[in-house]
Amino acid sequence: MTQPPSIPPEYPEPTGGPAHPDAAQVPSARPPVPGPRQPHIPPQEPPYPQPPQYPTAAAQPPQYPTAAAQPPPYPTGPQPPQYPGAGPAPHYPSTPQPQPPYPHAAAAPPSPYPQTSAVPPPGSPLHPHHIDTAHRGRVHVSSRQRHTDATAFGNLLLHLPNFLCSLVVVALVSLVLGDLGLLVILAWLASGALVFHRPTESALARHLLRLRYPTPQERATLEPVWREVTARAGVEGRAYELWVEDSDSLNAVAAAGHIVGVTSFALNRLPNGELAAVMAHELGHHVGGHAWSGLLGHWYALPGRIAWRLLRAVTGFLFHVSRAFSCIGVAFFGLCVGGIAFATISTLYGLPLLLLGMPYALAAVGRRSELRADRHAAALGFAPMLAAVLEKLHQQEQERLAAAGQGGGEPPKETAASRLLSSHPDHHTRLHHLQEYLQPAR
């Protein structure tokens, strides 16, 4: 379709002059139309705006509300309804909210000095002297379970004079029995084998050493530790019997051929590593032959000791009787006793004189056997535990002496004779002999 030609719009013609006198006159594009001439009216200038009227000083300022005016009451919230029988709301403890750490708080630098922490209880696996007794692999059992070391031989040799004196006493008693006297002597000589007789050992442990069998709970504590000790030593642990002594002191005993006893204090108050060190020390007495040799010598010396005590009792009684006869009776008694002693010494070639020095020699051998048992326990890896046990033992001894001094009595003073008659070395000597096992390997 064809569109009609566009017609340009018609613009209205200006009817008057410009609104402003300074505006330029643009001539009209169309020619003027002739007509009557209009009179000329000059253009009028527009009125200028008048300045604003400001209030004068006489005008009164607006009235503001004074302080006396009360603020309007604010509407309050609706009150909750009162329920019948409703008491005050219970107060629940509020849980304090943890405060978040400040971002600028820096952690304290670690101290260069080691911090001392609390020592765990003895039964805790975190104790430094705790040993693992649950994981034990193959155990090597040595072919040589026992031996007799120099201290055991020395103990037997030093008991020889006591044995001879006892033999004389038994022979004198056998003379009373006539033909049965020889059987009495032979029976006494063979009685030494009872040291290794199990029923005799049990009777000895119960009645002489005051030991008892452990309870199931105590056995559950003792047996794993004993297995660890015997496994390290290569010894058959089932060949020995474990016993317990009801005592509040730290101690242990190795007696006869198969007795190993510990006190209830050592069982309940020591970590299992320190308990193992104590039992390893007693095992050293058995392995070295100290236990059976000491008991055997004591057994064969028993008749002579009984005769010596009877002789002292009779001599004391006769001395008190002789005092009733003034100095003459005392002198007569002294001559009789002196003559008998001289005759005895001459007949036995001075052997009774050796009995005066036997206690000191036996104590010296006993101290040496204790050091050998300490070395046996240290060689099995229990040196630090044994040193800790010796410290506790020394502390108990000091507390006992302090308690004796506070009780009103004078604590016993250690003399040279008491040190020579002691069967155990002093605390510092034992620690000195453990130093080679306590020093780290280079």
Side-chain angles (χ1 to χ4, degrees), residues 105-113 115:
S111 174
Y113 302 99
Q115 301 294 330

Side-chain angles (χ1 to χ4, degrees), residues 305-315:
R305 292 183 179 182
I306 294 175
W308 172 250
R309 291 183 179 181
L310 289 176
L311 182 61
R312 288 180 58 185
V314 172
T315 305

